[in-house]
Amino acid sequence: VKFPIVGKENEYLIIWTTTPWTIPFNLGVMANPKLDYVKAKVYLEKETENGTELIDNGVWIMAKECAEKLKHQDRKIEIIEEFKGEQLINKKVKNPVTGKEVPILPAKFVKTNIGTGCVMSVPAHAPYDYIALRDLGLVDEIGLIPLIKVPGYGKFPAKEIVEKMGIKSQEEEDKLEEATKKIYKDEFHKGVLNENCMEYEGIPVREIKDKLTKDLIDKGLAEVMYEF
């Protein structure tokens, strides 16, 4: 998903997600300040009768590993700059669905060898996001927005399971993985999108992924990236 960098024209922070229905309600995006990122010119390669046509797709900011993967996925990548993620922290991006400006926050749990090395912050439902926000002392300032009704959980499932399991920080990766797997499984099989999801209210989570992915791609807000 392409999140425009505030104050920059045709420049985007690229977020890889498997939960596209959370895009309208992300409260920030996260990058790892100690790992390697790049700014790159990206072109889509399209086969035509006259050969391969390059379509300008803007300037993307993503993990260095991600740029290498995209070279093998019908894209031409020209690296402009390499830098540490700390240079991204506290800059702002614009949510492509709502237009709301949100901050880029530091998170030690973010890995650059998965996806784009940048993730959305949906702390009401993602234990990693909630604990990272809590570590930063920003839970009250940024807040929590519930998206999904799940039997057996309260309004904020991530907060609930983190506190129930006694997870203290981002360093407890085994516990966070366990909490994440449980919540995501329960939400996928039993969850229903709530009133905050506007026109998607009432749709089961297991049915929304394909529909919303198609909607975002059709609107030019997202593209497909394969991860193995």
Side-chain angles (χ1 to χ4, degrees), residues 1 14-18 36-37 60-70 73 110-119 225-228:
V1 186
I14 307 301
I15 304 290
W16 186 76
T17 181
T18 58
D36 295 322
Y37 292 80
W60 291 15
I61 293 173
M62 56 196 154
K64 185 176 180 181
E65 292 100 320
C66 176
E68 184 60 35
K69 293 174 191 176
L70 288 176
Q73 299 186 33
V110 175
K111 296 176 174 61
T112 51
N113 64 337
I114 300 173
T116 61
C118 304
V119 301
M225 173 187 167
Y226 294 99
E227 179 64 279
F228 300 94

Side-chain angles (χ1 to χ4, degrees), residues 45-90:
E45 295 180 343
K46 183 178 179 181
E47 294 300 325
T48 67
E49 293 180 357
N50 300 318
T52 302
E53 178 184 353
L54 295 179
I55 301 172
D56 188 344
N57 206 8
V59 174
W60 291 15
I61 293 173
M62 56 196 154
K64 185 176 180 181
E65 292 100 320
C66 176
E68 184 60 35
K69 293 174 191 176
L70 288 176
K71 291 178 182 178
H72 306 283
Q73 299 186 33
D74 296 327
R75 292 175 176 88
K76 180 181 179 183
I77 310 293
E78 295 178 355
I79 304 297
I80 299 170
E81 180 185 355
E82 295 186 19
F83 54 90
K84 294 293 183 184
E86 62 188 3
Q87 293 188 31
L88 297 172
I89 306 308
N90 294 326

Side-chain angles (χ1 to χ4, degrees), residues 8 12 16 21 26 33 48-49 78 81 92 96 106 113 129 131 135 137 144 147 149 166 180-181 185 204 211 224 228:
K8 300 287 186 179
Y12 308 92
W16 186 76
W21 58 88
N26 85 90
T48 67
E49 293 180 357
E78 295 178 355
E81 180 185 355
K92 289 193 174 183
N113 64 337
D129 297 356
I131 203 77
D135 284 356
L144 305 175
L147 308 173
K149 296 177 183 176
T180 299
K181 287 177 181 177
K185 180 180 178 181
K211 175 174 172 49
V224 173
F228 300 94

Side-chain angles (χ1 to χ4, degrees), residues 1 38 54 63 68 73 81-82 89 91-92 97 99 114 128 137 140 142 151 169 175 190-191 218 222:
V1 186
V38 298
L54 295 179
E68 184 60 35
Q73 299 186 33
E81 180 185 355
E82 295 186 19
I89 306 308
K91 291 184 178 180
K92 289 193 174 183
V97 175
I114 300 173
Y128 275 106
D140 291 337
I142 290 181
S169 75
K175 283 188 174 182
K190 299 183 285 186
D218 288 347

Side-chain angles (χ1 to χ4, degrees), residues 22-33:
T22 63
I23 294 167
F25 308 100
N26 85 90
L27 304 175
V29 296
M30 295 179 167
N32 192 317

